[in-house]
Amino acid sequence: MYATRARQGRPEPFAVHPGIAERLGLPYMDGALALSGIALAVFSVFTLSQATLHDVPGDPYYFADRQGIYAALGIVGMYLLTRIDYSRFRELRVGIYTFLCVSISLVFVFGFAARGSRRSFELPFFSFQPSELGKLLLVLALAGFVIDGARSGSERQRTVRYLCLGLAPAALVFLQPDLGTALVFGAITLAVMYVGGVRWTHFAAIGAALVAVTAIVLVAAPAVGTPILKGYQAERLTSFLNPSADPSDAGYQQNQAKIAIGSGEKTGRGDRATQTRLDFVPERHTDFIFAVIGERYGFIGAALVLSLYALLIWRALRIVTLSKNSYGTLVAGGIAAMLLFQVFVNVGMNLGIMPITGIPLPLMSYGGSSVLATFLAIGVLQSIHMQARLSQKGRFAW
Amino acid sequence: MTNRLALRIALFGGVAVVLFGVLFFRLWLLQVLDGEKYLAEAKNNRTRSYRVSAPRGEILDRNGKVLVGNRTSLALQVNPRKLPEDPVQRRAELSQLAELTHSTLRRVRKTMHEELKLAPAAPVTLRRDVGHFLVYYLQENQDRFPGVETQRVFVRDYPDGTLTAHILGTVGEIEKEQLKEPRFRGLQPGDEVGQSGVEDTYDRFLRGQPGLTRVQVDAFGEPTPNGRLIAKPPAPGDSLKLSIDEKVQAAGEAALSERGLPGGFITMDVHTGEILGLGSFPTFEPALFTRPLTQKQVDDTYLNPAAPLVDRAAAGLYPTGSTFKLITAIAALESGKLSLGEVIDDPGVLEIGGQEFKNAGEAANGAVSLVQALEVSSDVFFYTLGYRMWNTGELQHWAHALGIGRPTGIDLPIEDETLLPSQHWRNQLYKEGGTERPWSAGDNVQLATGQGDLQTNPLQMAIAYATLANGGTVVTPHVGKEIDDPAGRVLREFNPKPRRHIHIDPEYRAAILEGLHDAAQNGGGTSFDVFGDFPIPVAGKTGTAQRPPHADQSWYGVLAPYPNPRIVTFVTMEEGGFGAESAAPAAKKILEAYFAGRLSKEAGSAGGEG
């Protein structure tokens, strides 16, 4: 489409005949965004290949191989989404939202139970966790609802409607139970509303309600004997406040992660790492992979990873401002918030300043659903970027 | 984009910056500022390590026969966490244990204190290799001995008792001083290392790697359930194959003990320096050292005047008698003080400076050539040679070149204290007031026949004989042949380079060997009575060393087969009298064992013809 426009209009100074890069759309993509995502995935495969050699007997690269395949699929998915105009999702918002809620609900019926919670389907090649893709679907649908509902009802009604639309799937996920992903859904909802222009006073009210709910959930409800969170969930949420000495509880695990990262010092311990190699730190290939990086590769490695996330989120925020339409702004804002929230909560948990919530580190933590969903989210960002660039180009060419 | 939206997005960006700032700051705090603290915490992360001892490698003879193996035995251990908390009960139990293990309460407490410092949660070994009766007793009375456990440990096992004791040596707990040595780096008190013999020389191969069991413990020092983090299995030591031939060794030791006189023997390959047998009498049981010695055992070993721990073959200090004449002959011929055809008159006595030097038994041999002089062991002939070289240093030069009075390079922990008397040595001693007279012709005349101040041993003499036999290569004697891993694959072979090469004229070599052959197997030879009927041609020399106030010491050195010898055998027996009387028959038994295959074949064919 752009190529024909270039031919019909005034001669393009550089690409009269579109080259291969032009055909692939590369000049209109955000290179830094794509590269930071790919670099993180590569780092993840590298780390897994070193840190999980002995986890699966007889298959030293079990995790690394699979993560590599997921990342490759994700990158292909990212590219395909880049070439689709994201504005189509706005029209499909009801369908997307329905699919989101149904797929999460189906987990209760057909789901595969692991460690006491049903979160995923067993597919032939991997277990698919709908709530991971759900994060992106929620952004796409909710942004559509916000744009299209802009003129119906009072502001207060609208705020309540957005909240309900966002919190319904969050509640479903919470019931799986998967507290971490539910919190991500909540964060996405708030971010989309924020970028969508919901009044500050409403946010103040929501904030007050959140404080009240937290107090009830963590203090009041258990006190009257009707706990809302499961015991381990409450313990995880509060344990970072007092990293206890009891090796069996969550605070101990978090303390071990902190020791792991600290012991990496500036340059890391490499294969002499003990904390993450000798099972002191649990879930080292998923939730606590940042501790592995910290211990193995030291400040240099961990800061590099954090910098890549900073780059990723900076590019996402930049795309928020570039978008050619409000839908793109909202979607990009939601995705940026989703990434920021996950990175901060996961890394903060590893560093001992955030509670243990079971939120994976995007692109780093082992897991097909998460890696795939994150790359698709980046693909949507690319699509917004590309559409903005094309419309700019069109304007200049006119 | 509206201004309001721009503001919101700017705020969003601001929040992102702040959040990343928090993460970076926290990361920097943990890793750069407090990294050391966390590294230390990681290192002793509430884990305790137990060492699991590794079995030492086996020691085999050249044909793979096990000379030292391992057996498992029970060690008595105390788990300090399970001892009674009440100090009175605790004391009572420990003193009872001390009594049962023939120890004292103080020693038990000291052991526990030292080991607990190293491994705070690990059980303390009180005694290795406890008897089964004690174990049964403790098990039956478990309620009276809380915290007492037994564990299987590896103990050295010697299937043939005293066989090759001096070569094998002993193992024992590492001593405080040894812990500081670089070669024992990484070992801990209580670890076993070789303390003598090849157990010491080849310790680094035999030792193996202790395993490690790391156990995670909670704040109270109790292992947490499933707290076993890593079990590095112990790596058994590699086995050492010796060049020793068990049959030759056994024959030599039997020959010595039959005669019952203190002495030693060595059988060595003249070309490679591989030692096929090396033994000393009286001997000892290496197994004694696997558990603490009783006072009687200390008396019988360390304090015994017969010194069973001394290796008389490799570390003895004796004059050699006439076996030295081979060296005198080489020195005189090579330095031109004697020509091959020369005949010297032997009237039975030689007078030098008013002092008379007589033949043994005052025999007069008449005019003799070198070959005849060796055959009948004419002292006057060699006195004359010694006199010709008395102040030239040539005899010392050649004896030294052949390895007398200098370190041999053998792979056994032996300190060289041998002495080759020389003009320089005695004059220096005289100057310092250590002797009443300077070097005289008589000293060299004595040395020429292996008497006087000479202090050497069968090992050095065997090297000198081997050097003549192989035409001038001074070999490095060794008992270590190869290191095999526990699966039997050869890891490395030991072929130590010769110490040096010296030039010996082949004509001289042939003449001297002929003289030695005649001495052993010609009618008038000194050891004809012993070797006259030996079916394999040999070249052997008797020696009778005077060691007042002791009776004469018997020596015999023999090269076989003549004229191209493969092995040298040397035997000495303190107070054994003439060489042919004690040492030569013992040497014959060793050769019979070495040539057993060939001898039985010849005996069979001889019988068939008859």
Side-chain angles (χ1 to χ4, degrees):
Chain A
M1 169 182 123
Y2 46 89
T4 48
R5 185 180 294 166
R7 256 182 240 157
Q8 284 165 353
R10 269 176 292 172
E12 244 306 321
F14 298 113
V16 178
H17 301 291
I20 181 89
E22 178 86 6
R23 281 179 191 277
L24 289 174
L26 295 185
Y28 311 102
M29 287 172 67
D30 186 340
L33 179 71
L35 287 181
S36 58
I38 292 169
L40 284 164
V42 168
F43 205 109
S44 167
V45 173
F46 172 72
T47 305
L48 288 170
S49 73
Q50 291 201 320
T52 60
L53 277 181
H54 307 292
D55 286 21
V56 179
D59 192 355
Y61 297 112
Y62 180 91
F63 289 117
D65 286 347
R66 278 161 180 71
Q67 184 81 337
I69 292 168
Y70 300 148
L73 289 174
I75 290 166
V76 170
M78 172 179 80
Y79 178 73
L80 293 178
L81 269 184
T82 303
R83 305 304 303 267
I84 293 173
D85 186 346
Y86 64 92
S87 301
R88 301 276 295 279
F89 295 126
R90 181 181 156 192
E91 297 150 23
L92 297 171
R93 63 187 180 278
V94 178
I96 289 172
Y97 190 80
T98 312
F99 176 76
L100 163 67
C101 293
V102 169
S103 66
I104 294 173
S105 308
L106 280 179
V107 171
F108 291 100
V109 186
F110 302 110
F112 164 70
R115 269 168 283 178
S117 76
R118 288 175 181 274
R119 297 179 183 179
S120 51
F121 299 119
E122 269 301 273
L123 293 184
F125 299 107
F126 74 123
S127 59
F128 174 68
Q129 194 177 335
S131 56
E132 285 295 336
L133 187 61
K135 294 169 187 172
L136 177 61
L137 297 181
L138 180 63
V139 172
L140 294 174
L142 197 60
F145 290 131
V146 170
I147 297 292
D148 288 272
R151 278 175 295 277
S152 60
S154 69
E155 278 192 53
R156 194 175 301 166
Q157 281 174 331
R158 271 182 269 149
T159 301
V160 172
R161 192 161 70 233
Y162 304 154
L163 267 181
C164 291
L165 283 169
L167 293 186
L172 284 175
V173 173
F174 174 78
L175 289 173
Q176 284 181 353
D178 183 352
L179 178 61
T181 309
L183 288 174
V184 178
F185 277 38
I188 289 168
T189 307
L190 289 178
V192 171
M193 288 165 64
Y194 170 79
V195 180
V198 169
R199 275 174 177 277
W200 291 104
T201 49
H202 293 182
F203 277 108
I206 294 169
L210 269 181
V211 171
V213 168
T214 309
I216 290 170
V217 166
L218 290 181
V219 184
V224 297
T226 52
I228 296 165
L229 289 177
K230 299 194 188 290
Y232 75 94
Q233 287 178 325
E235 189 188 87
R236 281 172 166 190
L237 283 179
T238 53
S239 63
F240 78 105
L241 297 173
N242 55 335
S244 89
D246 182 356
S248 60
D249 74 17
Y252 174 83
Q253 295 173 354
Q254 197 158 23
N255 200 32
Q256 295 300 346
K258 204 168 78 180
I259 292 171
I261 292 172
S263 69
E265 297 193 286
K266 292 189 193 87
T267 52
R269 304 172 76 190
D271 279 337
R272 281 172 299 127
T274 52
Q275 287 290 104
T276 50
R277 190 163 56 83
L278 302 183
D279 292 340
F280 279 99
V281 178
E283 301 292 325
R284 59 169 173 266
H285 60 297
T286 55
D287 291 356
F288 281 102
I289 195 167
F290 191 76
V292 176
I293 294 165
E295 187 178 22
R296 283 190 163 258
Y297 312 119
F299 184 73
I300 293 174
L304 173 70
V305 168
L306 271 190
S307 304
L308 286 171
Y309 281 118
L311 177 63
L312 189 72
I313 287 163
W314 170 49
R315 297 311 286 192
L317 284 173
R318 192 172 151 275
I319 288 167
V320 175
T321 65
L322 288 180
S323 172
K324 67 173 184 180
N325 57 25
S326 307
Y327 181 67
T329 306
L330 287 189
V331 168
I335 292 173
M338 170 185 108
L339 292 173
L340 178 64
F341 183 78
Q342 293 191 83
V343 169
F344 181 76
V345 174
N346 179 285
V347 175
M349 166 183 89
N350 276 270
L351 293 171
I353 53 173
M354 288 299 280
I356 298 180
T357 42
I359 291 177
L361 188 55
L363 300 176
M364 291 300 299
S365 289
Y366 173 79
S369 305
S370 170
V371 170
L372 216 55
T374 310
F375 269 121
L376 291 180
I378 295 174
V380 171
L381 287 176
Q382 293 284 17
S383 169
I384 298 169
H385 186 266
M386 182 173 261
Q387 295 305 324
R389 281 279 175 265
L390 285 176
S391 64
Q392 274 177 0
K393 196 178 154 76
R395 206 157 46 230
F396 294 143
W398 223 340
Chain B
M1 190 184 294
T2 62
N3 282 342
R4 281 179 52 197
L5 180 58
L7 177 73
R8 287 198 171 206
I9 291 169
L11 246 150
F12 193 160
V15 169
V17 168
V18 169
L19 292 183
F20 270 99
V22 167
L23 292 182
F24 269 108
F25 174 73
R26 177 70 176 175
L27 191 65
W28 180 68
L29 183 78
L30 286 182
Q31 296 196 298
V32 181
L33 295 187
D34 287 343
E36 257 174 68
K37 185 187 105 189
Y38 287 112
L39 184 59
E41 259 190 75
K43 280 186 175 161
N44 78 72
N45 198 334
R46 299 222 174 84
T47 61
R48 297 290 176 256
S49 306
Y50 296 70
R51 283 161 79 86
V52 185
S53 63
R56 281 178 78 80
E58 294 183 328
I59 302 179
L60 316 165
D61 93 332
R62 66 186 298 123
N63 301 314
K65 184 190 180 302
V66 176
L67 299 173
V68 187
N70 297 296
R71 65 188 166 83
T72 54
S73 91
L74 295 167
L76 192 64
Q77 295 187 321
V78 173
N79 191 334
R81 290 196 317 274
K82 294 185 184 158
L83 281 175
E85 281 182 22
D86 176 49
V88 179
Q89 285 178 21
R90 197 181 172 105
R91 191 190 152 88
E93 183 179 336
L94 287 181
S95 58
Q96 262 188 314
L97 280 176
E99 204 178 311
L100 288 168
T101 56
H102 308 289
S103 182
T104 63
L105 181 62
R106 254 188 71 193
R107 264 159 69 185
V108 167
R109 290 222 150 141
K110 200 173 149 220
T111 312
M112 288 187 59
H113 182 71
E114 280 172 3
E115 294 218 5
L116 285 177
K117 255 194 310 196
L118 289 161
V124 175
T125 302
L126 284 190
R127 188 160 165 195
R128 290 159 177 279
D129 203 11
V130 290
H132 284 92
F133 287 116
L134 180 56
V135 173
Y136 296 148
Y137 176 77
L138 289 171
Q139 278 172 354
E140 278 165 22
N141 296 284
Q142 246 170 2
D143 47 331
R144 277 173 53 206
F145 295 99
V148 173
E149 299 162 359
T150 50
Q151 205 205 338
R152 300 176 77 79
V153 292
F154 295 100
V155 174
R156 273 314 212 190
D157 184 42
Y158 302 87
D160 293 299
T162 61
L163 189 77
T164 53
H166 290 93
I167 295 172
L168 299 175
T170 59
V171 292
E173 282 192 12
I174 189 163
E175 286 161 18
K176 263 199 184 128
E177 291 304 306
Q178 291 176 315
L179 279 169
K180 294 175 194 155
E181 291 177 33
R183 70 183 184 123
F184 293 127
R185 192 171 295 149
L187 295 190
Q188 292 181 359
D191 284 346
E192 299 236 302
V193 295
Q195 297 290 6
S196 59
V198 289
E199 294 267 26
D200 179 8
T201 331
Y202 293 99
D203 185 66
R204 68 193 175 103
F205 302 109
L206 293 167
R207 194 191 300 146
Q209 281 276 333
L212 207 63
T213 304
R214 281 165 65 91
V215 172
Q216 189 177 334
V217 293
D218 61 20
F220 308 101
E222 288 288 344
T224 53
N226 305 322
R228 187 162 284 222
L229 292 173
I230 178 178
K232 186 184 119 196
D238 296 321
S239 55
L240 169 66
K241 189 177 258 187
L242 299 179
S243 59
I244 297 297
D245 183 331
E246 189 247 349
K247 292 196 188 70
V248 173
Q249 180 73 23
E253 290 194 21
L256 287 180
S257 66
E258 259 169 46
R259 191 74 174 79
L261 292 172
F265 79 94
I266 177 171
T267 298
M268 186 175 81
D269 186 305
V270 299
H271 298 289
T272 62
E274 282 184 3
I275 294 173
L276 301 166
L278 181 144
S280 179
F281 186 86
T283 184
F284 63 95
E285 272 195 53
L288 284 186
F289 295 85
T290 56
R291 53 174 93 182
L293 295 180
T294 63
Q295 189 56 45
K296 183 168 182 311
Q297 288 167 335
V298 172
D299 291 346
D300 290 349
T301 52
Y302 294 102
L303 305 177
N304 187 341
L309 297 180
V310 172
D311 185 347
R312 286 169 162 80
L317 296 169
Y318 307 116
T320 66
S322 300
T323 54
F324 198 82
K325 287 174 180 168
L326 171 137
I327 296 165
T328 309
I330 294 171
L333 288 168
E334 285 289 343
S335 54
K337 292 292 191 295
L338 175 74
S339 61
L340 266 187
E342 192 176 345
V343 171
I344 295 175
D345 184 48
D346 173 9
V349 64
L350 178 68
E351 194 191 304
I352 298 164
Q355 199 182 348
E356 286 193 339
F357 294 90
K358 292 178 185 164
N359 273 349
E362 310 206 5
N365 297 309
V368 286
S369 68
L370 173 67
V371 175
Q372 291 163 327
L374 285 168
E375 179 186 347
V376 300
S377 199
S378 160
D379 287 334
V380 170
F381 184 93
F382 288 95
Y383 290 152
T384 310
L385 297 183
Y387 183 52
R388 288 178 184 174
M389 298 183 281
W390 85 269
N391 59 358
T392 62
E394 282 150 345
L395 179 55
Q396 282 75 14
H397 169 79
W398 283 95
H400 193 66
L402 288 162
I404 305 300
R406 65 197 292 184
T408 58
I410 191 172
D411 51 353
L412 289 172
I414 286 168
E415 284 185 38
D416 181 65
E417 294 169 11
T418 54
L419 172 69
L420 175 66
S422 68
Q423 188 167 16
H424 175 79
W425 163 76
R426 183 170 269 283
N427 289 351
Q428 189 70 30
L429 198 65
Y430 177 64
K431 231 186 272 171
E432 288 163 7
T435 179
E436 67 276 15
R437 56 179 184 79
W439 183 255
S440 70
D443 287 313
N444 216 44
V445 167
Q446 293 269 26
L447 178 62
T449 55
Q451 310 288 359
D453 297 313
L454 176 66
Q455 298 266 281
T456 183
N457 50 49
L459 172 64
Q460 289 190 345
M461 291 304 290
I463 293 168
Y465 272 53
T467 306
L468 176 83
N470 66 34
T473 301
V474 183
V475 296
T476 303
H478 56 281
V479 290
K481 191 169 163 60
E482 64 188 42
I483 299 291
D484 298 348
D485 72 7
R489 286 175 296 234
V490 178
L491 293 181
R492 58 185 292 179
E493 289 180 68
F494 300 107
N495 296 307
K497 272 192 285 198
R499 305 290 277 179
R500 56 197 165 272
H501 297 276
I502 60 174
H503 179 262
I504 298 174
D505 192 307
E507 280 188 39
Y508 300 161
R509 170 181 176 273
I512 295 169
L513 284 179
E514 186 189 346
L516 259 53
H517 175 59
D518 289 352
Q521 293 178 316
N522 204 6
T526 47
S527 51
F528 178 76
D529 291 346
V530 180
F531 280 98
D533 60 350
F534 196 67
I536 292 160
V538 300
K541 185 74 199 80
T542 51
T544 308
Q546 293 151 18
R547 281 179 73 214
H550 303 282
D552 287 350
Q553 178 160 344
S554 176
W555 280 84
Y556 197 73
V558 57
L559 294 160
Y562 175 82
N564 289 307
R566 287 205 305 273
I567 59 157
V568 57
T569 290
F570 244 88
V571 181
T572 188
M573 286 188 195
E574 292 176 22
E575 313 204 336
F578 288 114
E581 197 178 326
S582 314
K588 186 179 173 186
K589 283 181 183 145
I590 295 168
L591 291 191
E592 278 168 355
Y594 178 78
F595 290 110
R598 199 168 142 188
L599 289 176
S600 65
K601 208 188 291 171
E602 284 181 17
S605 63
E609 282 162 27

